Amino acid sequence: MQTPVFAELGTEIVRAEDLRKTFALSRKQRLLDKTGAAYKTAVDGLSFSAYRGEIYGLLGPNGAGKTTTLRMLSTLISPDAGDAFVCGHSVRKEPQKVRDAIGFMTSELKLEGFFTPSYLFDFFGAMHGVEQGTLAARKKELFARFGIDRFAEVKVKDLSTGMLQKVSLVIAIVHDPDVVIFDEPTNGLDVLTAKVVTDFLLELKKMGKSILLSTHIFSLVEKLCDRVGIVIDGKMAAEGTLAALCGGVSLEDKFFSVYREAKGEAV
């Protein structure tokens, strides 16, 4: 399937088509769930597109389906129904080509504590088939950019949370991917490290990269995102540029208006 080109928005780089994902609940989860249901529909017919050179944000509360959506886009889990295309490749039919095109980062990424940042960067670079000379130059550039060079031979288990997040970031983009997918990019970070990460995302955008992120933080969306999709209960409740979506009100006010309407509450 060819990737269409839109004059106003540029080249479509990610397209989700009616994505659906349901999980069976454990006995403990069933007891905690007020409905007593045996299954949870995390993503319920979600569709959207993201374009080259933009930052697209999925905004929603915890449990809205944002992380599940990004994991499907990253081929970590398979959709029950629907499909998604990254750089024209189906997550269902061409998962390896999707993985080659993306860098995926989450605060839940666990790196083996025994290894050093230098070793892990080389290991993941080799996995992605990055040529040795290119890999060495990229390591030098990224390690200097994030201040990892001084900790290159320190074991991961001895790194601070902020430094570990930086290491995770450079490993995610070791192969210089066209699409960068971040699940809650500033979650758990101190303000200094969070600024380093957000500034780098803007830098990647200037380089023509496409960035897709999930968050529940309004200020992060306002600072970074060109367009935003508000996700409630696994469905797209509203979508657009901040200006078009908010119409002069704050993003926070617009979000809660959309949320109440999606829940059938009085607006």
Side-chain angles (χ1 to χ4, degrees):
M1 184 178 295
Q2 289 188 335
T3 302
V5 176
F6 293 80
E8 298 86 354
L9 295 170
T11 303
E12 184 184 55
I13 206 79
V14 175
R15 181 171 73 258
E17 295 182 347
D18 198 26
L19 285 176
R20 298 175 186 273
K21 188 67 181 180
T22 298
F23 297 100
L25 299 180
S26 67
R27 175 179 292 183
K28 182 178 180 180
Q29 289 171 321
R30 293 182 194 182
L31 291 174
L32 293 173
D33 188 273
K34 295 179 181 179
T35 66
Y39 296 90
K40 165 72 174 179
T41 299
V43 178
D44 189 7
L46 193 66
S47 299
F48 64 91
S49 293
Y51 300 89
R52 186 178 302 282
E54 80 165 351
I55 300 179
Y56 184 97
L58 291 175
L59 175 67
N62 293 337
K66 307 185 302 297
T67 293
T68 299
T69 299
L70 295 190
R71 287 178 175 172
M72 286 190 283
L73 292 175
S74 303
T75 75
L76 295 178
I77 57 176
S78 298
D80 294 333
D83 202 348
F85 300 86
V86 179
C87 299
H89 303 298
S90 164
V91 299
R92 297 174 73 100
K93 299 176 182 177
E94 305 169 284
Q96 187 55 56
K97 290 184 178 180
V98 172
R99 294 181 199 122
D100 290 341
I102 68 170
F104 177 67
M105 183 177 171
T106 171
S107 59
E108 296 179 2
L109 179 66
K110 306 299 181 186
L111 297 174
E112 176 55 56
F114 177 79
F115 297 114
T116 66
S118 182
Y119 175 86
L120 289 170
F121 190 88
D122 291 345
F123 175 80
F124 284 100
M127 281 186 61
H128 282 288
V130 181
E131 188 271 329
Q132 194 64 38
T134 301
L135 185 63
R138 190 152 175 78
K139 179 198 284 187
K140 182 178 181 181
E141 174 194 351
L142 289 174
F143 276 34
R145 170 73 169 74
F146 288 97
I148 301 171
D149 42 6
R150 293 176 296 148
F151 303 90
E153 302 302 332
V154 177
K155 290 182 179 180
V156 162
K157 65 182 178 65
D158 296 322
L159 297 176
S160 67
T161 300
M163 184 55 61
L164 182 58
Q165 188 83 327
K166 293 176 185 178
V167 172
S168 300
L169 170 58
V170 300
I171 287 174
I173 59 172
V174 62
H175 54 308
D176 195 21
D178 290 328
V179 181
V180 181
I181 299 176
F182 279 81
D183 186 21
E184 300 284 358
T186 60
N187 190 36
L189 297 184
D190 64 83
V191 292
L192 295 178
T193 305
K195 179 168 174 53
V196 170
V197 171
T198 55
D199 286 351
F200 188 62
L201 291 180
L202 291 171
E203 191 174 313
L204 289 174
K205 174 188 170 182
K206 290 180 181 178
M207 295 166 59
K209 306 294 185 182
S210 304
I211 300 160
L212 184 62
L213 62 86
S214 73
T215 186
H216 60 277
I217 303 173
F218 302 119
S219 60
L220 187 65
V221 173
E222 291 170 330
K223 178 179 180 179
L224 294 180
C225 296
D226 299 288
R227 291 187 303 124
V228 60
I230 297 177
V231 181
I232 308 293
D233 294 334
K235 300 178 180 179
M236 185 65 73
E239 183 186 29
T241 64
L242 290 176
L245 188 63
C246 296
V249 302
S250 70
L251 177 60
E252 181 177 0
D253 287 343
K254 179 63 179 180
F255 172 83
F256 283 110
S257 174
V258 169
Y259 181 85
R260 289 191 294 268
E261 184 175 352
K263 292 291 190 178
E265 302 175 5
V267 178

